[in-house]
């Protein structure tokens, strides 16, 4: 932070010196020309001196007014831009146009005898060019403009009076003094301009390094936060699974104990009191159905929240939309099936595969585009997830890929990976017979109705 402030201070000091020096040079040249005009008139040598000029000069008062007016407006625009740096690019561009207009006025009134003021305007405009490549292009164009605006080149097309012509009126010593002062000021102006450019480039380089460092720190913090979130999620899942395991254990333990005792009682009553045995069996059936219902309710709590609230298709779209908003990654999802409707455990595995694969593609592969395709053929579901990330020739299964494989293998499926161009994961899962699923659903419905 201190280095940034120090660079900014040096930059402002250097630019302020350029402004003051250019004001001194412009006023020095203008007053020298005007003073010479008065001296020529006073010495009654106007006719003889005019013969040495290429073009008739304008009135001295008009020249001074125009020079001071243009110079004041030029410095005023520069000062205003620096005081209001937060203005948009459109306004800065507009002020740059006005700056160039008053620059042309100054050059015209000085008969192009001094074009060093171009360096001042270039230095000011260059401050607002952000990209390094654009800065170099702008510098090159500015150098061409500087060369084009030189007195010797312009006078090939437009007749102008040089500063040397004006000071030639004086004796040799005075003429040399005027020309020496002009030359020294031009050299100082060029040195200040070069120093300003060097400081500006160093400032930009340090700013880029600072941004890169901040990006690296932010990336590291994001990775740590992601790891922490994963650990927290795993801890939460483990805690919830343990709680549900205890609940299922307690429920099944209670129900199975009741069924076991009830069956023992039926075995005793079958020969003694068949009616009582039948009654006991009905009670055992009710207990078993209630227990089955409790177990199903507990198992349903293991599903992702999105699958609890919406269909698999909508849950996938919601996950993709959330991930795209957070990471600015383009995720394309295509399903070649009319309807994504499977059994609960299959839907959970499909959802988790897509969730983990997109996370890995963004986090490890640095992917900016991800493609998800789902299709079904011969009662086998194929999920292909590919990305444009960095890929990996030697694929080693971490927790995420291992977790995907375990889930797929639980459904008797298989997983393959390809990492030569980006990263591609292909999961194939056999889908259970839909008729059996419908029959099972119908049976469960009838059981619930009977219980009700």
């Amino acid at each position: 932070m201190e280095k940034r402030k120090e660079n900014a201070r040096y930059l402002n000091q250097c630019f302020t010196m350029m402004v003051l020096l250019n004001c001194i040079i412009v006023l020095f040249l203008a007053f020298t020309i005007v003073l010479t005009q008065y001296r020529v008139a006073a010495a009654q040598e106007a006719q003889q001196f005019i013969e040495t000029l290429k073009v008739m000069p304008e009135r001295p008062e008009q020249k001074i007014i125009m020079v001071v007016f243009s110079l004041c407006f030029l410095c005023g625009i520069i000062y205003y831009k620096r005081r209001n740096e937060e203005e948009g690019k459109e306004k800065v561009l507009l002020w740059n146009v006005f700056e160039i207009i008053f620059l042309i006025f100054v050059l015209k009134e000085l008969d192009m005898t001094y074009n060093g003021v171009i360096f001042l305007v270039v230095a000011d405009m260059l401050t607002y060019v952000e990209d390094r490549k654009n800065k170099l292009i702008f510098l090159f164009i500015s150098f061409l403009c500087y060369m084009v605006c030189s007195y010797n080149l312009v006078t090939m097309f437009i007749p102008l009076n040089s500063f040397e012509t004006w000071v030639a009126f004086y004796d040799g010593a005075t003429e040399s003094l005027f020309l020496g002062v002009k030359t020294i000021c031009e050299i100082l102006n060029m040195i200040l301009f070069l120093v300003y450019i060097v400081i500006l480039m160093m400032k930009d380089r340090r700013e880029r390094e600072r941004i890169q460092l901040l990006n690296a720190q932010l990336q590291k913090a994001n990775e740590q936060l992601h790891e922490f979130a994963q650990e927290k999620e795993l801890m939460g899942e483990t805690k919830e699974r343990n709680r549900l395991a205890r609940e299922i254990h307690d429920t099944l333990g209670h129900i199975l104990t009741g069924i076991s005792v009830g069956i023992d009682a039926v075995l005793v009553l079958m020969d003694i009191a068949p009616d009582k045995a039948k009654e006991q069996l009905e009670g055992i059936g009710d207990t078993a159905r209630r227990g089955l219902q409790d177990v199903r309710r507990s198992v349903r709590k293991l599903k992702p929240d999105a699958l609890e609230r919406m269909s698999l298709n909508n849950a996938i779209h919601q996950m993709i939309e959330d991930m795209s908003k957070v990471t600015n990654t383009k995720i394309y999802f295509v399903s070649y099936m009319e309807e994504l409707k499977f059994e609960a455990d299959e839907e959970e595995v499909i959802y988790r595969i897509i969730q983990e694969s997109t996370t890995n593609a963004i986090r490890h592969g640095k992917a900016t585009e991800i493609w998800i395709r789902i299709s079904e053929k011969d009662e086998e579901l194929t999920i292909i997830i590919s990305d444009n990330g960095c890929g990996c020739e030697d694929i080693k299964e971490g927790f995420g890929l291992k977790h995907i494989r375990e889930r797929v293998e639980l459904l008797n499926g298989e997983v393959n990976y390809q990492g030569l161009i980006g990263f591609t994961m292909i999961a194939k899962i056999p889908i259970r017979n839909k008729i059996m699923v419908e029959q099972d659903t119908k049976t469960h419905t009838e059981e619930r109705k009977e219980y009700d």
Side-chain angles (χ1 to χ4, degrees), residues 11 14 36 59 81 106 129 137 178 187 199 208 244 263-264 274 292 322 325 334 337 359 381 389 393-394 422:
L11 206 62
C14 184
T36 304
R59 294 175 61 85
K81 282 170 60 180
V106 172
V129 180
I137 294 173
F178 281 136
I187 293 173
I199 296 175
R208 287 196 304 273
L244 291 171
I263 290 174
D264 289 340
L292 183 61
D322 293 341
K325 285 181 180 178
V334 178
M337 301 175 62
T359 302
L381 184 73
E393 292 185 10
D394 184 18

Side-chain angles (χ1 to χ4, degrees), residues 296-337:
R296 284 174 177 164
R297 187 185 68 251
S298 299
V299 170
R300 277 198 298 270
K301 292 180 180 179
L302 294 173
K303 292 176 66 178
D305 182 61
L307 292 178
E308 282 289 333
R309 294 183 288 105
M310 59 186 78
S311 66
L312 174 61
N313 186 62
N314 291 339
I316 292 173
H317 277 95
Q318 183 66 50
M319 174 181 61
I320 290 172
E321 183 179 352
D322 293 341
M323 185 70 76
S324 298
K325 285 181 180 178
V326 173
T327 62
N328 291 326
T329 304
K330 294 181 179 179
I331 304 177
Y332 307 96
F333 173 60
V334 178
S335 174
Y336 300 97
M337 301 175 62

Side-chain angles (χ1 to χ4, degrees), residues 24-260:
I24 291 171
I25 297 174
V26 170
L27 294 176
F28 165 73
L29 296 176
F31 276 101
T32 300
I33 293 171
V34 170
L35 179 63
T36 304
Q37 287 182 268
Y38 282 122
R39 292 287 299 274
V40 169
Q44 296 181 352
E45 298 179 3
Q47 186 63 38
Q48 183 180 355
F49 184 77
I50 288 174
E51 292 177 358
T52 64
L53 300 177
K54 294 182 180 180
V55 62
M56 285 294 294
E58 59 185 322
R59 294 175 61 85
E61 300 84 357
Q62 183 180 349
K63 180 179 287 292
I64 286 295
I65 291 173
M66 287 299 297
V67 167
V68 173
F69 172 82
S70 302
L71 189 62
C72 286
F73 268 90
L74 180 62
C75 294
I77 291 171
I78 293 173
Y79 177 78
Y80 178 82
K81 282 170 60 180
R82 301 232 160 201
R83 293 284 293 181
N84 299 273
E85 292 184 357
E86 69 281 356
E87 290 189 346
K89 293 183 178 179
E90 294 79 9
K91 287 190 176 181
V92 171
L93 182 62
L94 180 63
W95 286 119
N96 286 344
V97 172
F98 284 115
E99 204 170 337
I100 292 172
I101 291 173
F102 287 109
L103 168 65
I104 293 172
F105 280 140
V106 172
L107 295 175
K108 174 183 174 298
E109 293 303 322
L110 294 179
D111 291 333
M112 307 300 290
T113 56
Y114 172 69
N115 57 0
V117 71
I118 294 176
F119 288 142
L120 175 65
V121 174
V122 169
D124 178 59
M125 293 182 178
L126 199 62
T127 308
Y128 304 94
V129 180
E130 297 177 354
D131 186 67
R132 184 182 181 184
K133 183 179 178 181
N134 292 337
K135 273 186 168 68
L136 295 175
I137 294 173
F138 185 79
L139 273 175
F140 178 74
I141 295 173
S142 301
F143 178 74
L144 291 180
C145 292
Y146 177 80
M147 298 299 294
V148 169
C149 293
S150 66
Y151 174 82
N152 293 330
L153 186 61
V154 173
T155 51
M156 292 174 62
F157 308 96
I158 303 172
L160 296 171
N161 299 319
S162 67
F163 182 73
E164 287 77 5
T165 304
W166 291 105
V167 297
F169 172 77
Y170 301 96
D171 58 77
T174 306
E175 180 183 358
S176 299
L177 177 63
F178 281 136
L179 294 177
V181 170
K182 177 177 178 287
T183 303
I184 291 172
C185 289
E186 287 177 337
I187 293 173
L188 287 176
N189 183 58
M190 187 171 291
I191 291 173
L192 285 174
F193 175 73
L194 294 175
V195 171
Y196 182 86
I197 295 300
V198 170
I199 296 175
L200 185 62
M201 293 298 184
M202 290 176 60
K203 175 177 173 289
D204 289 345
R205 181 176 61 83
R206 287 176 179 169
E207 187 67 17
R208 287 196 304 273
E209 291 175 353
R210 186 182 71 86
I211 292 173
Q212 289 174 356
L213 179 62
L214 289 175
N215 286 335
Q217 292 175 348
L218 182 61
Q219 181 68 22
K220 185 177 179 181
N222 285 335
E223 290 178 358
Q224 291 175 346
L225 184 62
H226 186 71
E227 291 175 0
F228 174 74
Q230 279 191 329
E231 290 176 3
K232 187 177 180 181
E233 183 181 356
L234 289 174
M235 291 173 63
E237 286 182 359
T238 303
K239 185 178 179 180
E240 182 65 13
R241 289 176 188 273
N242 290 336
R243 184 188 70 79
L244 291 171
R246 287 194 300 270
E247 182 180 337
I248 294 171
H249 176 268
D250 293 342
T251 303
L252 285 175
H254 174 74
I255 293 167
L256 292 176
T257 300
I259 292 173
S260 177

Side-chain angles (χ1 to χ4, degrees), residues 241 296 299-304 307-308 312 340-354 381 383 403-404 406-413 429-433 437 440-441 444:
R241 289 176 188 273
R296 284 174 177 164
V299 170
R300 277 198 298 270
K301 292 180 180 179
L302 294 173
K303 292 176 66 178
L307 292 178
E308 282 289 333
L312 174 61
L340 292 177
K341 190 169 182 62
F342 310 97
E343 285 208 51
D345 57 342
E346 293 172 335
E347 288 190 353
E348 182 185 351
V349 169
I350 294 169
Y351 182 86
R352 293 300 189 190
I353 287 173
I354 296 174
L381 184 73
I383 305 172
H403 193 55
I404 290 174
E406 289 175 353
R407 285 183 178 274
V408 173
E409 288 178 350
L410 284 174
L411 297 178
N412 298 318
I429 304 171
I431 302 301
R432 300 179 198 128
N433 195 315
V437 173
D440 187 56
T441 304
H444 292 166

Side-chain angles (χ1 to χ4, degrees), residues 277-295:
K278 184 178 179 182
E279 209 175 297
Q280 185 70 22
L281 282 173
E282 289 177 355
I284 292 172
D286 291 340
T287 302
R289 278 187 287 272
R290 283 196 300 271
L292 183 61
Q293 211 171 37
D294 290 340
V295 170

